[in-house]
Amino acid sequence: MSLEKKYSKEVKQILAKYPPEHKRSAVMPLLYLAQREEGYVNKVAMKDIARILDITETDVASIVGFYTLYHDKKAGKYRMQVCADLPCALRGADEFLDNLCGNLGIKVGETTEDGVVTVEAVMCLAACDRAPMFQTQGPDGIKYHEYMTVDRTMELIEALKGGKE
Amino acid sequence: MTHILLRHRDIPDMDKLNVYKKNGGFAAFKNAVTKMKPNEVTDVVKNSGLRGRGGAGFPTGMKWSFIDNKNWPHYVVANADESEPGTFKDREIMENNPFQFLEGLAIASYAVGANVAYIYLRGEFWQVAAWLDEKIAEMEEAGYLGDNLFGKDYSLKIYTHLGAGAYICGEETALLESLEGKRGQPRVRPPFPPSYGLYGKPTIINNVETFTNVPMILANGADWYKSMGTADSAGVKIFSLSGRVRKPGNYELPFGATFRQLIYEHGMGIQDGRPIKAIMPAGASSSLIVVDEKVLDTPIDYAAVRTLGADLGSASVIVLDDTVNMDWVINKTIHFFKHESCGKCTTCREGNHWMRNLTDRIHHGKGSSEDVKLLLNVAKQMQGKCLCALGEFSTMAVVTGIERFPEDFKKAVKA
Ligand SMILES: Cc1cc2nc3c(=O)[nH]c(=O)nc-3n(C[C@H](O)[C@H](O)[C@H](O)COP(=O)(O)O)c2cc1C
Ligand code: SF4
Ligand code: FES
């Protein structure tokens, strides 16, 4: 089903935010919509968005390529994006990330065998006073998890496996 | 101290419309729309001495007065991209005192004749955006947004717009490109946004904290605001304090407070009682300040920090103690900038690539003193040759790290 059909209400709401002659502005919110179910934007969705906005597929693909929160490949159902930037690293983020990966038996960038979690290292998330912290990017959007320990993260991962965040 | 911006810390439930209203909320906006001419609003902000809180410290009222009244429509855009490593103040405002920010945005829109305002949030602020959407809907319901506000011929709509993980979109012209549905790459300036902004129309862009000051300035007057802070920098500032302090967090202080007060009184000093080695007052974009007693007692404002060989920027103060090595610090900052360079100009794109290779080598014990010299040279070569300030920022910690902490690099290449 095309994006406009599947999410007709959402698409209309998004387009209403911008002047009709500048509807290209809707490309970013539409990409989030397209990414919602699979966790990445596939070629068909890019084509849909290009058609809705009267731009080329190449335009859409170049947006996907530029911004780090859009993905064109499948990964785990949840991306666990651990902040390892300078202020968090001063508060133990690198050790946290190492220990977490050790516990999961994967390396940064890899996905757990059951396909539920991909662990990534990312730049500052504006939560530097609450390190160690990470965000999860998944079917219900992006959520912050702050003041984390490896134990609490493992509990969270168990909950995610059970389909609850 | 009672807060002016972080008022939710003094008044519970400031995020509820009725509580905000009961504490004077929206009176300033109503007064502006019903009793003041737009340029009178701008004049009050001008006279208050308020300077932009997004980093550059540009006088806010003056910026508003630059709006081109021969070209319409006008737009106002709130910069809620907040991506500088070490900065987390706008998030606290939007999460806990959202109406004061939204009222400031509404007042600014009235002052420059904009009927549509956008809030550009970094994509990671997904939950914050949903929250602001709720608050905007409550304002519409209560008659603070929409058509013919307060029975006058003024209408205003506010929309949120999420970015998607690109630090460069905090740079105002890259932000506008992004909001137009393009890659977030800076525009060549001039023209500046007040004459050529969103969709090529006159646009005022300010930081979230800047807007949040505005309702209080209108309610209490320019002189009241100017009575706080210093001659150079009026009013109060939210300092995001992070790194090796006992109590990191946001602290709202008048300009003129000292680093000692910020770090020792508010931040409760350094972890394990260790000595401070350096301060980065403006996040990862900052020069490294060598700390001594004189530095700690410096009253902080834009001009004073410059005398210490750094910029205050958005006042995201990262504290480094004596266990931290500068080759590690710049390795972190260069990885950040290498990742975030938008790639539009060669100097920044290639320069950061080379700096990354060199710093990796040095930090991992595979470098030589020649590498350190070369790294310093590359950084200096880049300065003054980049299209936007990101390129410039990427060299700050490198140059000051190597020049002000040579011992750390001697150790790193020997090890
Ligand atoms: C690389 C770069 C990143 C920036 N990031 C931000 C940001 O996240 N938030 C912000 O308000 N200003 C940021 N700025 C500053 C903006 O370009 C702009 O000066 C500011 O939003 C103007 O608002 P103000 O006058 O209220 O400070 C950034 C600038 C540069 C060069
Ligand atoms: S200096 Fe860097 S971030 Fe700025 S325009 Fe050039 S490449 Fe892009
Ligand atoms: S450095 Fe991790 S949230 Fe800022």
Side-chain angles (χ1 to χ4, degrees):
Chain A
M1 212 194 301
S2 71
L3 205 64
E4 309 98 294
K5 282 224 181 85
K6 195 189 260 162
Y7 295 112
S8 64
K9 190 173 128 238
E10 285 92 339
V11 171
K12 261 196 215 109
Q13 270 173 352
I14 289 171
L15 287 171
K17 287 184 170 187
Y18 311 99
E21 67 275 29
H22 298 292
K23 62 181 177 180
R24 181 182 177 142
S25 282
V27 67
M28 296 181 77
L30 288 178
L31 281 169
Y32 279 120
L33 201 59
Q35 195 167 264
R36 194 184 273 182
E37 271 170 34
E38 299 286 330
Y40 72 104
V41 194
N42 61 34
K43 288 255 153 47
V44 181
M46 287 198 217
K47 218 181 243 176
D48 283 348
I49 292 174
R51 192 185 53 247
I52 298 171
L53 302 180
D54 291 332
I55 53 180
T56 66
E57 280 172 63
T58 316
D59 289 332
V60 180
S62 89
I63 302 287
V64 173
F66 186 81
Y67 296 96
T68 56
L69 288 175
Y70 300 129
H71 313 287
D72 57 7
K73 282 186 201 66
K74 197 166 175 60
K77 184 170 174 203
Y78 293 90
R79 288 168 191 265
M80 186 167 269
Q81 297 164 329
V82 180
C83 175
D85 214 341
L86 175 65
C88 278
L90 286 165
R91 307 190 72 79
D94 287 335
E95 295 78 9
F96 170 80
L97 183 57
D98 280 352
N99 293 340
L100 178 64
C101 285
N103 254 359
L104 290 170
I106 57 174
K107 291 204 204 64
V108 174
E110 291 180 349
T111 305
T112 52
E113 228 164 66
D114 54 15
V116 177
V117 173
T118 303
V119 175
E120 299 174 330
V122 298
M123 303 301 170
C124 180
L125 297 174
C128 329
D129 55 336
R130 302 172 188 180
M133 65 82 57
F134 56 83
Q135 65 183 7
T136 48
Q137 186 180 16
D140 347 298
I142 293 170
K143 282 188 189 148
Y144 275 40
H145 303 269
E146 303 172 316
Y147 300 115
M148 291 307 281
T149 60
V150 172
D151 285 349
R152 283 183 48 219
T153 308
M154 296 307 288
E155 280 167 29
L156 173 70
I157 292 173
E158 283 308 310
L160 294 177
K161 286 180 178 169
K164 273 201 302 277
E165 189 165 2
Chain B
M1 192 190 108
T2 48
H3 294 84
I4 289 162
L5 306 170
L6 304 177
R7 280 163 77 212
H8 54 277
R9 294 191 179 182
D10 307 320
I11 306 167
D13 296 327
M14 270 302 258
D15 57 357
K16 298 209 163 66
L17 189 88
N18 60 337
V19 174
Y20 182 65
K21 242 172 80 178
K22 220 183 287 164
N23 286 280
F26 301 114
F29 182 41
K30 182 175 179 188
N31 190 60
V33 174
T34 55
K35 300 210 175 78
M36 295 169 82
K37 292 207 191 77
N39 64 324
E40 290 171 350
V41 177
T42 299
D43 283 342
V44 175
V45 175
K46 217 188 236 172
N47 292 335
S48 76
L50 176 66
R51 298 170 62 166
R53 304 299 193 229
F58 192 83
T60 304
M62 196 192 300
K63 186 190 276 186
W64 296 5
S65 72
F66 291 157
I67 192 94
D68 180 358
N69 282 320
K70 291 192 286 298
N71 190 359
W72 295 86
H74 294 172
Y75 292 100
V76 171
V77 177
N79 190 339
D81 195 58
E82 186 152 71
S83 307
E84 178 70 44
T87 315
F88 42 88
K89 64 192 177 65
D90 298 336
R91 186 180 154 211
E92 179 172 349
I93 294 173
M94 293 187 286
E95 285 180 342
N96 298 287
N97 194 9
F99 289 117
Q100 191 171 322
F101 157 56
L102 292 167
E103 184 180 1
L105 181 56
I107 292 170
S109 301
Y110 175 73
V112 303
N115 301 112
V116 174
Y118 290 99
I119 304 168
Y120 185 101
L121 300 111
R122 61 178 300 173
E124 293 83 353
F125 285 173
W126 179 287
Q127 289 168 297
V128 184
W131 167 247
L132 287 181
D133 284 341
E134 275 176 42
K135 300 291 131 185
I136 289 166
E138 287 172 29
M139 281 174 68
E140 284 170 353
E141 184 100 347
Y144 296 124
L145 290 174
D147 291 330
N148 296 316
L149 295 174
F150 313 110
K152 294 285 173 180
D153 182 24
Y154 180 66
S155 66
L156 177 63
K157 281 270 197 191
I158 297 180
Y159 299 108
T160 58
H161 180 100
L162 277 173
Y167 167 69
I168 188 59
C169 291
E171 194 282 334
E172 57 188 22
T173 60
L175 185 155
L176 293 174
E177 288 287 298
S178 179
L179 187 49
E180 291 182 2
K182 301 173 196 151
R183 297 154 68 98
Q185 293 184 312
R187 296 175 180 168
V188 178
R189 299 178 301 170
F192 292 93
S195 48
Y196 187 93
L198 182 62
Y199 309 129
K201 298 298 175 188
T203 302
I204 294 300
I205 306 175
N206 280 116
N207 172 258
V208 170
E209 183 186 349
T210 310
F211 286 118
T212 306
N213 277 281
V214 170
M216 298 299 273
I217 291 173
L218 258 73
N220 299 293
D223 288 337
W224 165 82
Y225 195 75
K226 243 190 331 212
S227 74
M228 296 174 290
T230 64
D232 172 75
S233 315
V236 294
K237 179 82 193 78
I238 303 175
F239 295 86
S240 293
L241 183 64
S242 70
R244 289 282 165 88
V245 288
R246 286 208 178 94
K247 204 165 154 252
N250 287 317
Y251 298 102
E252 178 186 319
L253 305 173
F255 282 107
T258 64
F259 281 114
R260 192 188 298 283
Q261 285 167 330
L262 174 66
I263 294 167
Y264 286 92
E265 281 173 33
H266 299 279
M268 305 298 285
I270 307 303
Q271 290 178 352
D272 306 321
R274 301 201 73 95
I276 303 191
K277 181 169 177 176
I279 294 173
M280 301 177 86
S285 298
S286 187
S287 296
L288 284 149
I289 300 177
V290 186
V291 173
D292 58 21
E293 299 301 312
K294 196 181 118 249
V295 167
L296 285 177
D297 287 320
T298 305
I300 309 168
D301 67 17
Y302 292 103
V305 173
R306 209 152 290 153
T307 67
L308 304 178
D311 274 306
L312 182 58
S314 53
S316 24
V317 179
I318 306 173
V319 178
L320 309 173
D321 68 10
D322 66 337
T323 64
V324 179
N325 291 323
M326 296 309 162
D327 57 294
W328 176 79
V329 171
I330 69 169
N331 190 251
K332 281 282 183 195
T333 62
I334 295 174
H335 272 264
F336 173 78
F337 288 110
K338 161 76 180 67
H339 187 259
E340 301 300 339
S341 167
C342 83
K344 184 162 174 168
C345 54
T346 322
T347 323
C348 169
R349 189 182 61 236
E350 297 301 316
N352 269 294
H353 174 79
W354 283 106
M355 290 203 296
R356 199 263 323 262
N357 290 353
L358 286 162
T359 174
D360 274 352
R361 216 149 65 210
I362 295 164
H363 175 59
H364 293 121
K366 300 198 182 83
S368 65
S369 57
E370 288 308 306
D371 288 328
V372 178
K373 261 191 225 144
L374 184 58
L375 174 57
L376 180 62
N377 198 352
V378 172
K380 285 194 164 165
Q381 290 287 332
M382 288 171 67
Q383 292 183 334
K385 297 191 193 73
C386 298
L387 176 63
C388 87
L390 184 147
E392 207 72 25
F393 291 164
S394 70
T395 67
M396 292 298 165
V398 179
V399 171
T400 56
I402 297 174
E403 287 185 344
R404 297 176 188 173
F405 298 90
E407 293 305 317
D408 287 18
F409 289 87
K410 273 192 203 131
K411 254 197 307 193
V413 295
K414 236 193 264 151

